[in-house]
């Protein structure tokens, strides 16, 4: 069965808006697990704009499923990951100005640095996934780094403006999945997947896990908002 990794970065984004401790990121992770999430995904960005060092330490200690740490290949972050020892590390590109991860990791261009990060993390028995575009050359480079898992970037498909564009990008993901699968790589996918566009990707046979964040946290606001208002009315009534 297809697994779901839930990215909780946006719970931390909401917390950072007030700089306090609410909403509690760990409680959110435990709620995701209780609802069936197969792993918890958190991105420790170099600028610590949402998830911070204390969060990942607590997540490591308290979650019962798997911790998938999204991270850049910056030496400081690789050092932290080696000492944290998440179950899995997903290597992503990172630019300080971006709103979210834009495009996959260019494993070809950064081959030496990616391979060094993969080796360092693997030596600590951390499973490595490379977040790459659905592109043959990137898949081949990923395999050469020694990583066993790739996560295909579904952003182009998710952001497609027309149905023909969407079909074209879906085909790209399908082809990339079957090629990577034929090379023996474990194939995951994510980015921009929501309640409208997820089904076509979920049907791709080779894909084992989807990692989804923004749409789930956004939907949670609407599923929970009425109850939150009712509870407050009760308290003040
Ligand atoms: N996978 C990776 C590697 C990501 O960088 C992100 C965004 O943090 C996601 C999945 C989740 O993307 P979204 O929040 O758009 O669902």
């Amino acid at each position: 069965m297809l697994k779901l990794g839930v990215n909780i970065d946006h719970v931390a984004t909401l917390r950072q808006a007030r700089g306090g401790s609410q909403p509690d990121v760990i409680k959110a992770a435990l709620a995701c697990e209780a609802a069936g999430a197969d792993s918890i995904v958190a991105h420790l960005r170099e600028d610590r704009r949402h998830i911070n060092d204390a969060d990942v330490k607590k997540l490591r200690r308290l979650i019962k499923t798997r911790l998938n740490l999204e991270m850049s290949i910056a030496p400081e972050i690789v050092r932290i990951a080696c000492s944290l020892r998440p179950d899995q590390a997903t290597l992503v590109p990172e630019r300080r100005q971006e709103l979210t991860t834009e495009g996959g990791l260019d494993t070809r261009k950064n081959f030496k640095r990616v391979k060094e990060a993969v080796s360092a993390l693997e030596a600590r028995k951390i499973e490595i996934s490379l977040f790459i575009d659905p592109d043959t050359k990137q898949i081949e480079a990923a395999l050469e780094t020694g990583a066993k898992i790739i996560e295909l970037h579904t952003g182009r498909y998710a952001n497609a403006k027309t149905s023909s564009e969407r079909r074209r990008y879906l085909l790209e993901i399908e082809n990339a999945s079957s090629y990577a699968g034929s090379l023996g790589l474990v194939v995951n996918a994510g980015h921009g997947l929501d309640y409208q566009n997820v089904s076509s990707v979920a049907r791709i046979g080779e894909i084992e896990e989807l990692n989804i964040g923004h749409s789930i946290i956004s939907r949670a606001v609407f599923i929970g908002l009425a109850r939150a208002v009712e509870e407050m009315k009760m308290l003040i009534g």
Side-chain angles (χ1 to χ4, degrees):
M1 203 162 110
L2 192 56
K3 292 194 212 111
L4 175 66
V6 180
N7 181 312
I8 55 165
D9 293 351
H10 295 291
V11 177
T13 299
L14 190 54
R15 177 191 64 191
Q16 296 314 100
R18 283 288 174 98
S21 60
Q22 298 302 320
D24 184 326
V25 168
I26 309 304
K27 245 169 132 173
L30 297 178
C32 295
E33 288 188 321
D38 298 289
S39 64
I40 299 299
V41 186
H43 186 171
L44 185 67
R45 294 187 73 102
E46 288 165 56
D47 63 9
R48 310 297 199 273
R49 71 171 72 154
H50 39 53
I51 293 288
N52 62 37
D53 302 62
D55 292 331
V56 292
K57 279 189 195 147
K58 274 200 211 146
L59 286 169
R60 171 68 296 181
R61 221 161 17 90
L62 296 173
I63 65 170
K64 307 274 183 308
T65 56
R66 304 176 72 248
L67 176 61
N68 178 358
L69 185 72
E70 262 185 48
M71 53 178 281
S72 75
I73 54 172
E76 181 221 353
I77 301 289
V78 174
R79 260 196 309 279
I80 291 171
C82 283
S83 107
L84 183 72
R85 297 180 74 172
D87 300 281
Q88 185 178 317
T90 298
L91 306 187
V92 302
E94 197 173 303
R95 285 196 305 116
R96 279 179 193 248
Q97 289 77 21
E98 68 190 0
L99 288 178
T100 180
T101 315
E102 294 166 354
L105 184 68
D106 191 340
T107 307
R108 295 180 77 201
K109 200 163 129 199
N110 303 294
F111 187 77
K112 192 163 167 281
R113 289 174 60 219
V114 174
K115 195 168 165 42
E116 277 166 13
V118 169
S119 304
L121 294 161
E122 251 183 7
R124 304 291 290 165
K125 305 260 179 300
I126 301 164
E127 289 182 23
I128 322 291
S129 173
L130 302 185
F131 183 53
I132 57 172
D133 287 329
D135 171 89
T136 309
K137 295 273 181 281
Q138 290 296 336
I139 293 168
E140 288 163 356
L143 185 71
E144 263 186 68
T145 65
K148 309 279 186 299
I149 312 169
I150 57 165
E151 179 176 337
L152 294 174
H153 193 311
T154 51
R156 266 208 306 232
Y157 158 77
N159 295 328
K161 297 279 181 292
T162 62
S163 55
S164 72
E165 215 177 69
R166 180 156 298 198
R167 269 199 306 278
R168 177 151 54 93
Y169 292 135
L170 180 64
L171 188 64
E172 243 178 37
I173 299 167
E174 288 168 347
N175 290 341
S177 300
S178 79
Y179 183 54
S182 75
L183 298 176
L185 287 162
V186 172
V187 185
N188 298 335
H191 209 282
L193 296 176
D194 62 23
Y195 294 82
Q196 278 73 46
N197 65 24
V198 74
S199 308
S200 308
V201 177
R203 274 196 290 269
I204 300 173
E206 291 81 5
I207 296 182
E208 296 195 8
E209 183 171 63
L210 296 178
N211 292 312
I212 306 180
H214 191 259
S215 65
I216 292 178
I217 304 304
S218 302
R219 175 116 181 98
V221 170
F222 287 102
I223 292 177
L225 195 54
R227 169 97 181 269
V229 171
E230 281 161 16
E231 282 181 4
M232 189 56 79
K233 283 286 281 187
M234 289 275 287
L235 275 175
I236 66 174

